[in-house]
Amino acid sequence: MEINNVAVAGSGAMGSQIAMVCALAGYPVVLQDISQESLQHAKHFLEKQMERRVEKGRYSRREVGEAFRRLTFTTEIEEMENANIVIEAIVEKLDAKRELFTKLDRLVAPDTILATNSSTIVSSKIADAVSRPENVCNIHFFNPALVMELVEVVKGPHTSEGTAAKSVEFVESIRKVPVLLNKEISGFIANRILGKLTDEAIFLYENGYATPEEIDLACMKALNHPIGPFALMDLTGLDVHYLVRKQRYDESGDEKDKPSRTVTEKVEKGELGKKTGKGFYDYDAQGNRLGR
């Protein structure tokens, strides 16, 4: 099976960027979402992002124009039927993912790879919702997908060697760097390590040792991180962080896995980070940080 057509389900920050990465690499891509408003927002977001990259000389206008011509925005799931690989990037809720995979199973060709971008929900929790579990795996991109090079490919106990190998080959074809996990574990590699750092950062903040600005600054200047843990939560979305921890707590029952008090309070107040203009920091309409 050769991968000639790509589909991405979910046009949020991750799904839209994954779709553009694939289009820039030369693939025809269908970006599908149940919300026309979300698709319009995704198109506007990508236009702004790519305009900045043209201005900085990273891409030519011709390259960007060709990529957009390869990209189809649609609310119709049927338009994904010709895809050789589908990457799911919808809401981080297991029931929703299982429902989508069941629909895709009936729609696409028998050898199509069905991948979830989730780093929390391992693919074995989805695989029994389809008739060909050997085609199911995790292909996890990092935010922002247009920038971040690493992609984690995770082989579940149901995933065939062929699916894993083809997924790694696909990641390389879109100019990303794959790492292959031969066994499932929630959070995979990078996010498990990052989770420990974030937990400690929140502990230091909640117990009054330092402010988010000071903790972020320490991580950047002492550990050489490009962005601190609080700014990173704002970037990826505090609601995403909350749902990831809630999913992990629901599975483990371990109190240490629960979302933190601080994050829970912010999510309840609608302070979800950069996308709402307020999280641990404040942002203007263009997404520029104003301070706490």
Side-chain angles (χ1 to χ4, degrees), residues 10-21:
S11 63
M14 286 304 298
S16 60
Q17 291 185 70
I18 292 168
M20 180 52 75
V21 165

Side-chain angles (χ1 to χ4, degrees), residues 11 24 27 84 102 140 176 192 217 236 245 249-250 270:
S11 63
L24 286 166
Y27 288 101
N84 308 115
T102 298
H140 175 234
K176 296 294 185 182
R192 289 185 69 86
L217 188 62
T236 57
R245 296 307 295 260
Y249 173 66
D250 289 344

Side-chain angles (χ1 to χ4, degrees), residues 8 52-53 76 114 127 149 164 207 234 250 271-274:
V8 179
R52 290 176 187 170
R53 284 160 173 75
E76 303 299 323
L114 299 175
E149 291 184 277
N207 288 277
D234 274 4
D250 289 344
E271 297 176 2
L272 307 182
K274 197 170 184 178

